[in-house]
Amino acid sequence: MKRGYVKLYVLGISMFVLLLANLFIFKIANPYIISGLLFLFLIATIITLGIEKDNFRYKKDVFLNIVIILLIYYFLTYFFGLFTGFLKSSYSLKLVNIFKNAFPILLVIVLSEFLRYIWVSKSKENKIGLIVGYLGFLLIDVCLMLNTYDITSALGLTKMICLVVFPSITKNILLTYVTYKVGYKNCIFYRIIVDLSVYILPLFPDFGEYINVILETVLPIIIVIRLNNLFNYYDLRKIKESRYTKKNLIIYSVITFALLVIVTLTSGYFRYYALTIGSGSMTPKINKGDVVIVKKLKDTEIYDIKKGDILVYNHDDKIIVHRVNKIIKNNGQINFKTKGDNNNTADSWQVKQDEVIGIVKFKIRYIGMPTVALNELLNG
């Protein structure tokens, strides 16, 4: 192993471990502190690995393509906002407050993208180094949102994964790709437009947070596909290999579709959603770690629930998945008695109409075990 790679691994793993410790132990989300951490790593990286001159071709072409795609993106989203309505920004638009809110994030952007540039330039022939760096930048995004979502709760962890991790995955793929091809300047520009717009723009289309996250997840993939085609066009050696462009398009499309399905099913925003089972009360029909697909019921559909259906409902701020073993109708109202298949006795309470969420349609065995294990780890 080359000596330079050893230094690269040591720096990368150190940053990754420290960010991981922050995620689960220190839980620091202050952007100034994270900027300080990035600055220290940047200095250590420059001293240890050095820095290469930013001497890339096609920077202007990449910049132009990013600008065009962002203009189209914002035009379309605000156009459809005419039909869905708009939300007023929750941030003050006074110049002083804009600076106060945006400056710490700007620091994180500049430092992280400069660090990414050095990291990528030193890892071009080392896939492991690129992956370690990529995961580190992914963790930075997560750490910045620790004050927004409580990852010690199942709901908070799910929201963090859906609303932060998924968009960050595709965003960092784009930023790493652009850095690899043309350096850091276009990445800084992209992030200033996308990440700081929340502090600058007065109105935003009211799509709902989960539709927004789908858009934020797809946008970087669209840009990657466009830039990949651009570089294939410019590189004469790759023109004959244009079939790979189609192959990449298929791969990106599959990844995008998979992410959309995951976000859709885990969000709870749509008619069907996925729910991880955290107990064994429904064994053997549904085991701990299984994921069930829940069909949310309208008020009129609650009357169609039959004895034997597996009901999903809220009780004492907990989501319970138990089987209906008795239906109680009284003066037009309908309540349910439920029991876990693996429990000796029925539940002591009655489930009211307004507590019903939906019914289980089908299950997927054990794919939720990582979520269960992580939740148990966080909650002791």
Side-chain angles (χ1 to χ4, degrees):
M1 183 182 295
K2 293 182 179 180
R3 186 177 179 183
Y5 288 163
V6 174
K7 295 178 181 179
L8 191 72
Y9 292 152
V10 171
L11 284 170
I13 293 172
S14 299
M15 183 175 76
F16 182 79
V17 170
L18 187 56
L19 289 169
L20 208 58
N22 181 59
L23 184 62
F24 293 107
I25 301 173
F26 307 118
K27 298 181 180 179
I28 297 171
N30 187 308
Y32 283 110
I33 296 177
I34 292 177
S35 294
L37 177 64
L38 286 171
F39 180 75
L40 292 176
F41 269 109
L42 180 60
I43 296 301
T45 304
I46 292 174
I47 293 173
T48 306
L49 302 177
I51 183 172
E52 295 181 5
K53 186 178 179 181
D54 181 2
N55 188 25
F56 294 92
R57 300 173 63 188
Y58 310 130
K59 285 186 289 187
K60 291 182 179 179
D61 295 328
V62 170
F63 173 79
L64 182 61
N65 276 268
I66 290 176
V67 168
I68 291 172
I69 293 174
L70 287 178
L71 285 174
I72 294 172
Y73 171 78
Y74 281 109
F75 172 79
L76 290 176
T77 53
Y78 275 80
F79 173 77
F80 284 107
L82 296 173
F83 302 96
T84 62
F86 291 91
L87 292 175
K88 187 178 179 181
S89 174
S90 58
Y91 295 95
S92 171
L93 297 179
K94 292 182 179 179
L95 189 60
V96 174
N97 291 326
I98 290 176
F99 179 81
K100 181 180 177 181
N101 293 324
F103 181 71
I105 305 301
L106 180 61
L107 274 179
V108 173
I109 290 172
V110 173
L111 289 169
S112 59
E113 292 314 314
F114 199 51
L115 181 60
R116 189 196 308 269
Y117 165 67
I118 299 174
W119 192 266
V120 170
S121 64
K122 298 297 181 180
S123 307
K124 280 192 172 183
E125 306 302 326
N126 190 311
K127 292 182 179 179
I128 296 177
L130 284 172
I131 292 171
V132 171
Y134 171 84
L135 293 175
F137 292 112
L138 186 65
L139 281 177
I140 290 170
D141 289 342
V142 174
C143 288
L144 286 169
M145 301 302 292
L146 284 175
N147 286 342
T148 306
Y149 304 104
D150 178 16
I151 63 172
T152 60
S153 70
L155 179 60
L157 181 61
T158 300
K159 283 198 168 188
M160 175 69 88
I161 292 171
C162 292
L163 302 181
V164 178
V165 175
F166 286 151
S168 181
I169 288 172
T170 58
K171 182 185 80 172
N172 280 288
I173 288 174
L174 168 65
L175 296 172
T176 302
Y177 179 77
V178 172
T179 302
Y180 185 89
K181 291 291 188 179
V182 295
Y184 63 92
K185 294 177 182 177
N186 282 293
C187 295
I188 292 176
F189 167 77
Y190 174 84
R191 292 194 63 183
I192 287 174
I193 298 299
V194 174
D195 293 359
L196 299 187
S197 61
V198 65
Y199 306 110
I200 299 170
L201 298 178
L203 295 172
F204 299 92
D206 185 13
F207 296 140
E209 58 185 2
Y210 288 103
I211 298 298
N212 284 333
V213 83
I214 290 173
L215 295 174
E216 291 169 7
T217 302
V218 171
L219 175 62
I221 294 177
I222 293 173
I223 297 176
V224 168
I225 292 172
R226 170 57 194 153
L227 295 182
N228 187 59
N229 290 337
L230 181 71
F231 288 122
N232 284 344
Y233 173 78
Y234 284 139
D235 192 341
L236 295 178
R237 291 172 299 176
K238 291 185 179 180
I239 291 179
K240 295 180 181 179
E241 302 172 10
S242 59
R243 62 183 182 276
Y244 291 114
T245 300
K246 294 181 180 179
K247 180 181 177 182
N248 290 339
L249 180 59
I250 293 172
I251 292 172
Y252 294 140
S253 299
V254 169
I255 292 173
T256 302
F257 178 75
L259 288 172
L260 289 177
V261 170
I262 292 171
V263 171
T264 299
L265 290 178
T266 55
S267 66
Y269 188 78
F270 300 94
R271 185 72 187 275
Y272 291 85
Y273 76 100
L275 179 67
T276 300
I277 302 301
S279 77
S281 64
M282 284 297 292
T283 302
K285 179 65 176 178
I286 302 173
N287 295 310
K288 182 178 180 179
D290 289 353
V291 168
V292 294
I293 304 301
V294 180
K295 178 184 179 183
K296 297 169 73 173
L297 297 179
K298 300 176 182 177
D299 291 341
T300 55
E301 294 176 322
I302 292 176
Y303 292 91
D304 297 328
I305 295 173
K306 304 181 295 295
K307 183 178 178 180
D309 285 343
I310 299 176
L311 196 65
V312 181
Y313 61 92
N314 277 309
H315 180 72
D316 290 340
D317 295 325
K318 293 181 180 179
I319 295 179
I320 296 176
V321 181
H322 280 176
R323 193 181 300 277
V324 175
N325 70 346
K326 187 176 182 181
I327 299 175
I328 304 166
K329 295 181 179 180
N330 185 21
N331 295 326
Q333 296 294 312
I334 184 169
N335 292 348
F336 305 93
K337 289 286 289 183
T338 58
K339 177 182 177 296
D341 289 358
N342 196 37
N343 293 345
N344 294 325
T345 59
D347 300 322
S348 59
W349 56 83
Q350 290 187 14
V351 182
K352 300 176 182 179
Q353 282 181 251
D354 58 2
E355 294 177 319
V356 173
I357 298 174
I359 57 174
V360 172
K361 298 303 292 183
F362 61 91
K363 66 186 176 187
I364 306 172
R365 286 288 190 190
Y366 303 122
I367 67 168
M369 285 302 296
T371 301
V372 172
L374 183 58
N375 192 45
E376 290 178 348
L377 177 66
L378 293 174
N379 292 304

